[in-house]
Amino acid sequence: MGDFNLALVIVAIVVCVLVFVFNVYLLINYQHPDDKNQAYFPKFVVVLGLTVAAVSILMLPADVANRQACRHAIYNGACKLTLPMKDLWLAVYIADAILVFFVIPFAMFYYEGDQDKSVGKRIGSAMLWVAASAVVCGLVLGILYGVVGKVDFTVRHLSSATSAFPSSWTDFSSNQPCLGSSARQCSAYLAGVSSEKTWTMRTTFPEYVVALATIVGSVLFAIFGGVGIACLPLGLIFSFIRRPKAVITRSQYIKEATELGKKAKELKKAADALHQEERSGSKGRKWRKNVKAVEKELLLLEEDVKALEEMYPQGEKAETTWALTVIGYLAKLVLGVLGLIVSVAWVAHIIIYLLIDPPLSPFLNEVFIKLDSAWGLLGTVAFAFFCFYLLVAVIAGAMMLGLRLVFITIHPMKWGATLMNSFLFNVGLILLCSISVIQFCSTAFGYYAQATAAQEIFGHTLQSLRGIKYLYKYNVFQIAFVVLAGLTFIYYAAFGWKKRKPSGRFQLSS
């Protein structure tokens, strides 16, 4: 028993170190050249946030393994020698909430502050914004916790008389499931609705903070995750369908490049005009809308330039570049098909196991259990993969909606061209949704992850919290997730194969 726990601790430490190193690697390769050798505090926050998000996702498989450590215990108190998962869950998610609502906003306000101001003034301005947010959040949390920070557990008061131990078990049947023939002796089995009572108790403040953060994340998760679970694989597949079929001629290249050059001049003119409006102080609602529209058009222009470079590779290794382009699109097709299988499995599991009462089948729960029986960690690895896939789908959904809806700020992640404000925004989104992903996975895989500390926090407590429990009782988030996934699938089936056309939606305020 002790050897198992020691091995689990060693694995947890090694995984945390590997996750930290991998996140540093991502930061170095994704950061924009303008941010090199500067903006160290935002970079630290990015690495810390990504590490907390990844560790929180991996903690659910660790929770399952920790539960298995005392499954075959032969003496009382063996489970006390395992990892204190409930305390670790609360610590991780309190850190998650602090990062999302305080540290990341401070880093973004500081990074986006006026570069002409001194460092002290930028820090002071960022702290004022964060302090105002902290006061508002503190008041809201305090009032809500004082008024409705309680859990209501519905229980049934049962009582039954005793009976002599039966000499034969053949007397039991579906028609007589209780001892003896008297109905009074079966009062526990025949108890009516009047025997139900409600136990009310106050939850702890950390659990309440986690619960509210989960609700906020669940709203984003239902929207972005529902869209992303469909657009993530279908986007890859339709990218292969819309791929360039052959290399274009030089005359075609010159024609397309000229058109893109004109578009770039128009965008520069629009950006200069918006910058002039900003300096004059006329930053109204229309100005902010135009800024986001120009950002969207700029992003689409960059995609057009990249597509043109793919269709007309240049240089001494043009043929090699074209071959790599073809291989890249084939890889997208393969990943898209595999992702589509995982997405369909996810949606089918939600319908079969969560939305139908009673569940038709444990489905993926049984798959993980059988994989565990084949090899100890195989089911755990598959379990972690499905959780990570769901988180990636959330990010894909946010990117897709950001391109379709002007009122959502676009923060694309690009290899070697990601500014720190975009990094911080996406890390905040990942952290906020990671809580909901864990809660969703602990519910969706309740049969596989039963009797874990995560289920105690995200199951019984969260789903019995006053004012919030009805959202989970009627499966509001699961239904929204499935509906949005279906609508996105229909959208891609109808329009995904078409090539995008320039929208030209930006209009200057002046």
Side-chain angles (χ1 to χ4, degrees):
M1 191 64 60
D3 293 339
F4 183 91
N5 296 330
L6 179 61
L8 190 59
V9 171
I10 293 174
V11 170
I13 294 174
V14 171
V15 168
C16 290
V17 172
L18 291 176
V19 167
F20 179 81
V21 173
F22 180 73
N23 289 331
V24 172
Y25 171 80
L26 285 180
L27 175 68
I28 293 174
N29 287 278
Y30 268 91
Q31 68 176 347
H32 197 281
D34 293 344
D35 286 328
K36 286 186 177 180
N37 301 319
Q38 60 179 343
Y40 291 110
F41 177 71
K43 291 178 181 178
F44 169 77
V45 174
V46 165
V47 174
L48 178 62
L50 289 175
T51 302
V52 170
V55 168
S56 65
I57 296 293
L58 293 173
M59 275 181 65
L60 190 52
D63 201 351
V64 174
N66 194 61
R67 176 206 61 192
Q68 294 174 348
C70 59
R71 173 182 291 178
H72 304 293
I74 59 175
Y75 59 91
N76 292 331
C79 291
K80 294 181 180 179
L81 301 177
T82 56
L83 296 175
M85 291 304 302
K86 185 175 181 180
D87 295 333
L88 291 175
W89 276 118
L90 292 176
V92 166
Y93 283 117
I94 290 296
D96 192 314
I98 292 174
L99 283 169
V100 169
F101 296 107
F102 301 108
V103 178
I104 289 179
F106 172 81
M108 290 188 70
F109 286 132
Y110 174 77
Y111 179 82
E112 295 178 347
D114 192 347
Q115 300 295 326
D116 296 333
K117 294 182 179 179
S118 64
V119 175
K121 289 184 177 180
R122 290 168 64 189
I123 293 176
S125 176
M127 289 186 68
L128 285 176
W129 281 103
V130 173
S133 303
V135 170
V136 173
C137 289
L139 288 174
V140 171
L141 286 174
I143 294 172
L144 289 176
Y145 180 70
V147 176
V148 292
K150 299 177 182 179
V151 287
D152 298 320
F153 295 106
T154 301
V155 297
R156 176 169 290 181
H157 179 73
L158 303 178
S159 63
S160 179
T162 60
S163 178
F165 197 80
S167 59
S168 174
W169 297 102
T170 58
D171 297 335
F172 291 96
S173 66
S174 59
N175 296 326
Q176 186 179 336
C178 300
L179 293 172
S181 58
S182 173
R184 182 178 60 83
Q185 293 176 338
C186 295
S187 60
Y189 178 78
L190 302 173
V193 180
S194 60
S195 64
E196 289 187 353
K197 294 183 179 180
T198 301
W199 286 355
T200 300
M201 56 188 298
R202 184 170 291 278
T203 183
T204 62
F205 187 71
E207 287 182 346
Y208 192 73
V209 172
V210 171
L212 290 186
T214 303
I215 294 299
V216 176
S218 294
V219 175
L220 298 176
F221 166 76
I223 298 173
F224 295 145
V227 173
I229 201 75
C231 78
L232 177 60
L234 293 178
L236 293 172
I237 293 173
F238 282 109
S239 177
F240 172 80
I241 294 175
R242 298 191 301 263
R243 74 191 187 283
K245 304 298 189 299
V247 177
I248 62 176
T249 62
R250 180 175 177 79
S251 60
Q252 289 176 313
Y253 172 78
I254 294 174
K255 179 181 178 181
E256 295 292 337
T258 302
E259 292 296 325
L260 291 178
K262 293 179 180 178
K263 183 70 176 293
K265 289 182 179 179
E266 293 176 3
L267 283 174
K268 186 178 184 305
K269 181 180 178 182
D272 291 341
L274 290 172
H275 187 63
Q276 185 66 29
E277 288 185 24
E278 181 184 15
R279 288 185 173 276
S280 64
S282 56
K283 293 169 59 175
R285 186 175 181 181
K286 190 174 182 180
W287 179 88
R288 289 191 294 270
K289 181 180 179 181
N290 287 332
V291 168
K292 292 179 180 179
V294 169
E295 288 177 351
K296 174 184 173 180
E297 293 295 328
L298 180 61
L299 181 61
L300 297 177
L301 178 63
E302 291 176 354
E303 291 181 357
D304 287 339
V305 172
K306 182 180 178 181
L308 183 61
E309 291 175 351
E310 288 180 348
M311 290 187 291
Y312 189 77
Q314 303 181 54
E316 297 179 356
K317 299 181 179 180
E319 294 182 358
T320 303
T321 303
W322 174 249
L324 292 176
T325 300
V326 173
I327 294 173
Y329 278 105
L330 289 174
K332 286 184 177 182
L333 176 63
V334 173
L335 292 175
V337 172
L338 293 176
L340 185 60
I341 295 173
V342 176
S343 294
V344 171
W346 251 120
V347 175
H349 180 77
I350 293 170
I351 296 173
I352 292 172
Y353 186 73
L354 294 180
L355 298 185
I356 297 178
D357 189 21
L360 294 178
S361 167
F363 195 37
L364 291 177
N365 289 284
E366 279 190 351
V367 174
F368 298 148
I369 292 173
K370 290 180 179 179
L371 289 175
D372 272 336
S373 62
W375 182 57
L377 290 177
L378 195 57
T380 304
V381 171
F383 179 44
F385 169 76
F386 270 80
C387 295
F388 262 112
Y389 183 84
L390 204 57
L391 190 61
V392 174
V394 171
I395 303 302
M399 294 296 139
M400 191 262 195
L401 290 178
L403 288 174
R404 297 293 182 271
L405 305 175
V406 178
F407 56 83
I408 296 179
T409 303
I410 306 171
H411 288 278
M413 297 283 291
K414 294 183 178 180
W415 188 268
T418 306
L419 295 171
M420 280 301 109
N421 59 342
S422 295
F423 241 132
L424 290 166
F425 176 86
N426 287 290
V427 169
L429 179 64
I430 292 172
L431 283 169
L432 191 57
C433 292
S434 65
I435 304 178
S436 302
V437 169
I438 292 299
Q439 187 274 330
F440 191 84
C441 290
S442 66
T443 303
F445 303 127
Y447 184 65
Y448 178 72
Q450 58 185 328
T452 57
Q455 275 205 333
E456 182 179 351
I457 296 175
F458 298 108
H460 310 300
T461 302
L462 181 60
Q463 295 179 15
S464 301
L465 202 62
R466 186 174 295 178
I468 294 176
K469 59 182 180 181
Y470 298 105
L471 295 173
Y472 296 96
K473 181 180 179 180
Y474 298 108
N475 297 321
V476 173
F477 299 120
Q478 290 92 330
I479 293 173
F481 184 93
V482 173
V483 169
L484 287 172
L487 292 175
T488 305
F489 180 84
I490 294 173
Y491 170 83
Y492 264 90
F495 307 106
W497 54 273
K498 296 181 179 180
K499 290 189 177 182
R500 176 187 52 80
K501 295 181 179 179
S503 61
R505 294 173 64 179
F506 65 92
Q507 295 179 353
L508 300 181
S509 301
S510 57

